[in-house]
């Protein structure tokens, strides 16, 4: 991570995965110099959630760019790029007429293409939202730990990082997201 999740007119969700039970928070502002910075509540990653934390940036202005940095145990995350800071944008007011650019894709198979240069083209199109249409990762296993590892590998693709860090990500499920090909809601380990 980080990864931008749901974005509304007044909020931005930032997903962060810790490497252990560490506390993190997000510092954010409307300027890259953080002159009037605010902080999210510090949260600790827990193993039952794979140390993933969803931070909520609240009480934001609509249609505005916010700059942010991830802090871990009170200091900037040492494995996270901090200059320039990450940025994400809130949604416009719902009654504002505006063209919204949506990019979408599926079948991002790390095993077949670890570089995935397509993400550069997606970033260049400046989407407001990226919608994952399923088969986000190919764990091809019934074991959750293998599926989780494939999601981690996919999220670590360098060309994908700028998209994850700046554009709202939403997703739907398909068979490989659960396990093996043609699996559905009857998967024995769905939960």
């Amino acid at each position: 991570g980080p990864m931008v999740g749901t974005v509304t007119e007044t909020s931005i969700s930032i997903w962060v995965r810790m490497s252990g039970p560490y506390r993190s928070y997000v510092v954010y502002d409307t300027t890259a110099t953080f002159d009037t910075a605010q902080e999210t509540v510090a949260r600790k990653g827990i193993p039952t959630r794979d140390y993933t934390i969803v931070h909520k940036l609240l009480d934001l202005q609509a249609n505005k760019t916010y700059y942010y940095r991830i802090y871990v145990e009170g200091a900037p995350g040492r494995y996270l790029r901090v200059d320039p800071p990450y940025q994400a944008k809130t949604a416009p007011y719902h009654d504002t007429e505006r063209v919204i650019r949506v990019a979408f894709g599926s079948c991002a198979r790390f095993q077949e293409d670890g570089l995935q240069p397509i993400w550069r083209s997606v970033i260049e199109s400046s989407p407001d939202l990226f919608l994952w249409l399923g088969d986000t990762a190919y764990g091809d296993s019934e074991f959750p730990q293998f599926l989780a590892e494939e999601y981690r590998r996919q999220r670590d693709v360098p060309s994908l990082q700028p998209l994850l860090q700046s554009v709202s990500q939403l997703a739907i499920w398909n068979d490989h997201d659960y396990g093996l090909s043609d699996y559905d809601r009857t998967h024995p380990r769905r939960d």
Side-chain angles (χ1 to χ4, degrees):
M3 182 180 83
V4 177
T6 305
V7 171
T8 71
E9 298 168 356
T10 60
S11 68
I12 298 173
S13 297
I14 306 291
W15 291 57
V16 180
R17 182 178 176 272
M18 301 288 101
S19 59
Y22 304 110
R23 296 187 79 75
S24 81
Y25 59 92
V26 177
V27 174
Y28 59 99
D29 201 345
T30 55
T31 67
T33 54
F34 295 88
D35 297 328
T36 57
Q38 299 178 64
E39 296 178 3
T40 63
V41 173
R43 292 199 157 86
K44 184 177 180 179
I46 58 174
T48 56
R49 291 207 161 265
D50 198 27
Y51 303 108
T52 300
I53 302 165
V54 180
H55 293 289
K56 301 276 189 178
L57 285 57
L58 301 171
D59 300 321
L60 308 179
Q61 299 172 31
N63 202 32
K64 187 125 181 118
T65 297
Y66 282 83
Y67 298 87
Y68 69 96
R69 289 193 172 114
I70 309 301
Y71 280 69
V72 179
E73 295 295 327
R78 65 180 174 165
Y79 296 112
L80 300 171
R81 181 189 55 149
V82 292
D83 283 313
Y86 304 118
Q87 55 184 300
K89 190 173 184 177
T90 52
Y93 285 113
H94 66 278
D95 59 354
T96 303
E97 285 191 32
R98 179 175 176 261
V99 173
I100 295 176
R101 190 177 297 251
V102 178
F104 57 90
S106 69
C107 303
R109 196 169 200 162
F110 180 84
Q111 300 93 323
E112 291 185 10
D113 184 359
L115 299 178
Q116 300 179 7
I118 188 66
W119 299 120
R120 288 183 198 92
S121 296
V122 174
I123 282 289
E124 288 172 8
S125 72
S126 301
D128 297 298
L129 168 68
F130 187 84
L131 180 59
W132 294 87
L133 299 178
D135 292 343
T136 302
Y138 283 75
D140 290 332
S141 173
E142 291 186 11
F143 300 100
Q145 65 270 27
F146 295 130
L147 288 168
E149 184 57 31
E150 283 308 307
Y151 276 100
R152 288 183 208 116
R153 287 175 58 185
Q154 178 58 40
R155 296 300 186 261
D156 284 342
V157 171
S159 59
L160 176 59
Q161 292 296 306
L163 183 71
L164 294 176
Q165 297 161 356
S166 63
V167 176
S168 179
Q169 308 284 311
L170 297 177
I172 60 174
W173 295 90
N174 199 4
D175 55 353
H176 290 283
D177 298 301
Y178 281 105
L180 302 173
S181 186
D182 297 329
Y183 266 50
D184 60 15
R185 61 185 168 82
T186 63
H187 186 296
R189 293 196 174 103
R190 177 181 173 206
D191 291 339

